[in-house]
Amino acid sequence: MILHELIDYPTLRVIWWALLGVLLIGFAIMDGFDLGVGALLPFVARTDVERRVVINTIGPVWEGNQVWLILGGGAIFAAWPPLYAVSFSGFYLAMFAILAALILRPVGFKYRSKRESTAWRSRWDWALFVGGFVPALIFGVAVGNTLQGVPFRFNEDLRIFYDGTFFGLLNPYALLCGLLSVAMLVMHGAGWLVLKTDGMVQKRARTYGSIAALLTIVLFALGGLALYYLVDGYRITSPVNPAGPSNPLMKGAEMAQAAWFANYRAYPLLLAAPALGFLGAMAAGLGLKFRMGGGVVLLSALSVLGIIASVGVSMFPFILPSSIDPRASLTVWDASSSHLTLFIMLFATAIFLPLILIYTSWVYRVMWGKVDEKSITDGHGHAY
């Protein structure tokens, strides 16, 4: 038996669908609180010292957290080439806006305190806000458009044609998902600040985080209701060969009301995902309001996990539906790399992903503890 045949092709496709979800959830949890802290910076910190406290809570870890974004992009490129081609072409300007905003973060961290000028530092503080708010918003907008379907199609030679525009992505449902993403990550960032700070910064973080948790619950509920009543989902209308070739045009598919809820009707256990999204946000909001300690960040992380997992299990087996030609929609069964490629990647992942987790755990252990104003003003132990 050839080694890669130890795991059959359909199983490998499902494994990589799950691993892609793990990487995206890992990015949302690990780098999500960085984005949330950036979005909160102008509001939870009123003085220069307080702003430096906030910045130094994420300063030592934000670069490592972005590894999850790189891993997710790499996984899409190698495991799901058609998904990479369509999404990075269709969302090109959106991706450019995200990258431009993310570039502001390292520059802001490094240059903010290079001059004593209040105006200089204020401008970089707002740059850090943009670097947190804009990616959080656009990532959510991208998910909202994915749920609605993206205007792409294939010709008979499987050449990709994208018929949408950047401003077409900014539709009401996508913006609702974008606001949900911002609220969710602000809640998560507030939980991190509660864990890492004290005094007035922590107090303000509790206030804004409580509001964000409530908005997360409300927006998640509104998004679900709109998805059921107003936004059509997708379903496959032809027999499926899970081990078939990666050719999206070999199936039939159609749009239908509430189709994204079919998996929940067939497998009620999947309702655990949206339940976790709601309950995690509720628990995090109560923890923030009633002065719970560092456990709030764990509760908000559970909410992030539940909300993102809800999207994945709702859409399965679709990974990127087409709004103009449902037949061209990309699914787990017809948009992956070859059997051998997926197996080699799984082997590499089994080696390197545990190393990343071990190293990340070690970094957080070394950097553990609160950041207070004394550690900023005494000139020792901080970089920003």
Side-chain angles (χ1 to χ4, degrees):
M1 177 183 291
I2 301 175
L3 187 60
H4 72 272
E5 292 180 353
L6 291 172
I7 306 177
D8 62 67
Y9 199 13
T11 301
L12 274 173
R13 282 171 157 169
V14 173
I15 289 173
W16 271 102
W17 170 80
L19 280 174
L20 179 59
V22 168
L23 294 175
L24 294 178
I25 290 171
F27 168 69
I29 291 176
M30 299 303 297
D31 204 36
F33 70 76
D34 290 352
L35 300 178
V37 168
L40 282 168
L41 177 62
F43 309 102
V44 299
R46 306 288 172 80
T47 67
D48 182 66
V49 173
E50 287 180 348
R51 294 188 182 102
R52 293 179 69 186
V53 166
V54 171
I55 291 169
N56 279 275
T57 64
I58 58 175
V61 297
W62 73 270
E63 289 177 292
N65 290 341
Q66 288 200 163
V67 166
W68 293 92
L69 177 61
I70 298 170
L71 289 174
I76 294 173
F77 173 77
W80 310 99
L83 173 62
Y84 183 90
V86 174
S87 59
F88 280 74
S89 298
F91 296 159
Y92 181 82
L93 290 178
M95 295 291 184
F96 181 84
I98 290 173
L99 291 176
L102 290 177
I103 288 170
L104 290 174
R105 295 210 294 172
V107 181
F109 284 132
K110 300 297 183 182
Y111 284 92
R112 180 195 180 277
S113 296
K114 295 297 185 182
R115 293 175 59 184
E116 296 293 334
S117 167
T118 300
W120 169 271
R121 294 186 173 187
S122 178
R123 283 193 289 269
W124 286 117
D125 289 339
W126 283 106
L128 290 172
F129 165 79
V130 170
F133 178 83
V134 170
L137 178 69
I138 296 181
F139 280 130
V141 167
V143 172
N145 279 283
T146 300
L147 286 166
Q148 295 175 94
V150 178
F152 71 92
R153 55 188 171 85
F154 293 97
N155 67 6
E156 295 304 319
D157 296 323
L158 294 184
R159 289 183 59 197
I160 300 168
F161 295 87
Y162 181 80
D163 296 335
T165 65
F166 173 75
F167 291 103
L169 300 175
L170 304 178
N171 55 78
Y173 184 76
L175 290 173
L176 173 64
C177 292
L179 293 176
L180 169 60
S181 176
V182 171
M184 176 182 74
L185 297 185
V186 166
M187 171 188 67
H188 195 35
W192 179 253
L193 288 176
V194 167
L195 174 66
K196 295 290 289 184
T197 66
D198 50 25
M200 291 304 298
V201 171
Q202 186 188 77
K203 182 178 179 181
R204 296 184 193 113
R206 290 186 184 278
T207 299
Y208 287 107
S210 299
I211 297 171
L214 178 60
L215 287 174
T216 299
I217 295 168
V218 172
L219 292 172
F220 190 33
L222 289 176
L225 290 172
L227 199 62
Y228 191 90
Y229 291 105
L230 302 176
V231 177
D232 287 342
Y234 294 75
R235 63 189 179 197
I236 295 174
T237 59
S238 64
V240 172
N241 179 10
S246 291
N247 183 345
L249 299 182
M250 295 180 67
K251 67 175 181 304
E254 66 180 6
M255 302 173 69
Q257 183 183 3
W260 287 146
F261 292 80
N263 287 339
Y264 296 115
R265 290 190 289 268
Y267 306 99
L269 186 61
L270 296 178
L271 289 169
L276 189 60
F278 282 115
L279 294 176
M282 290 173 60
L286 291 173
L288 288 163
K289 183 175 179 61
F290 294 107
R291 301 183 181 278
M292 182 179 172
V296 172
V297 73
L298 296 178
L299 295 172
S300 63
L302 289 176
S303 179
V304 172
L305 186 158
I307 291 172
I308 297 176
S310 297
V311 176
V313 299
S314 297
M315 292 182 61
F316 186 87
F318 289 89
I319 50 179
L320 188 66
S322 170
S323 59
I324 59 176
D325 182 9
R327 187 173 65 111
S329 299
L330 306 180
T331 74
V332 172
W333 313 126
D334 59 24
S336 73
S337 294
S338 69
H339 190 178
L340 179 59
T341 299
L342 294 182
F343 181 81
I344 293 173
M345 288 176 57
L346 183 62
F347 182 78
T349 301
I351 296 173
F352 290 106
L353 186 58
L355 293 177
I356 293 171
L357 293 173
I358 292 170
Y359 174 75
T360 301
S361 300
W362 177 79
V363 168
Y364 276 85
R365 184 172 180 271
V366 170
M367 300 296 178
W368 199 250
K370 289 185 178 292
V371 179
D372 54 27
E373 294 190 9
K374 184 176 184 300
S375 67
I376 299 297
T377 56
D378 65 9
H380 300 291
H382 66 89
Y384 304 106

